Every structure is written in C-alpha cells, then in structure tokens.
Amino acid sequence: MPLLFSDLADEWEAALDTDDRYRALIDFGRRLPPMDAALKTAATKVPGCSADVWVYPLEEGGVLRFQADSNADITRGVVAAIVSLVDGRTPAEILAAPIEAELESIGLKRHLSANRTQGVPNMIARVREAAQRLAA
C-alpha cells in the first residue's frame, strides 16, 4: 500500500493535541517500506539532520521511486511525509511539486523541535537533487 500524504493530513487534522500528532507522524513513518541496509551509506545519508536520515532514489520507467529511513521515529515520519509527496512522480513533477507548502498545510514545522526543523530542507533538497540529475 503506497504512502499517501493525504492519509497523514487526515490523521493530523483529526488529532486532538500535539501528542496525537506525534503519534500520527510516528505511525506514518512506520509504514515506510523497509530500506535495504546496504543502501544506508554516506552517499545516501542526508546531511544536517539531528538524526540519521537516508534517502535513496531509483529511476523506474521515467519516474523516481524513493527508499528512505531514519534511526529516529519522528524523523522517520518526517522523511516519510516528504517521500509520500514525490514517490512515483517524474523528475519534472518533483521539481515543480510544492513540497514545502504541502508540509506547511498541516503545520508540520510548528510541531517539530528546532533540530528536526533544520533537517527538513535538506531532505527536500535530496529528493530535488535526484530529480534534477534525471531531468538533465
């Protein structure tokens, strides 16, 4: 079953408080397909994140598929949210995707610590870099 950002947004909206939103984010991250341990390398590690985060792009038939993971539950949820917005899209669609606006639509940054918030642009940059390489 693919990860759909709309599922997270629905759970986020239904949450009664910050703890419920964290639980929704953690549960969403747990739905990420397992990332092959061999792909967790320095080349796939996202710099500048408070936790270890890996993002691996794979081109399949003109679209990008992403494997991602983190060693921290909340951060795994954040990277799952980002990946859910771009997985299975063409490079051009990814480059045009309003990823930041989608995350802001649920107020994600307001509920993250400053350390976690710092890594979000780097995760987004990683998926856009992959799209840019394939678009070229």
Side-chain angles (χ1 to χ4, degrees):
M1 173 185 243
L3 281 177
L4 300 175
F5 185 78
S6 59
D7 291 343
L8 175 61
D10 290 346
E11 291 175 39
W12 196 268
E13 187 174 316
L16 300 175
D17 57 25
T18 300
D19 288 342
D20 284 348
R21 287 189 172 107
Y22 278 138
R23 278 191 284 283
L25 193 59
I26 290 167
D27 289 344
F28 194 70
R30 288 183 177 144
R31 295 186 349 223
L32 264 176
M35 184 177 190
D36 185 339
L39 297 176
K40 294 179 183 180
T41 66
T44 62
K45 189 173 179 182
V46 179
C49 296
S50 61
D52 290 336
V53 179
W54 301 271
V55 175
Y56 180 78
L58 179 65
E59 190 271 330
E60 289 182 357
V63 300
L64 279 168
R65 305 307 313 240
F66 291 90
Q67 286 193 29
D69 199 7
S70 175
N71 65 343
D73 290 337
I74 292 172
T75 306
R76 183 180 300 113
V78 173
V79 76
I82 293 167
V83 165
S84 73
L85 291 166
V86 297
D87 191 58
R89 291 181 164 204
T90 66
E93 290 171 329
I94 293 169
L95 292 171
I99 300 168
E100 296 88 349
E102 291 286 346
L103 297 176
E104 187 52 37
S105 74
I106 64 170
L108 182 66
K109 285 187 178 182
R110 289 192 307 272
H111 296 281
L112 296 177
S113 69
N115 283 348
R116 286 192 183 96
T117 302
Q118 288 179 173
V120 172
N122 297 343
M123 293 179 217
I124 294 169
R126 180 57 57 97
V127 299
R128 286 191 173 136
E129 287 166 6
Q132 188 68 48
R133 278 195 312 273
L134 286 172

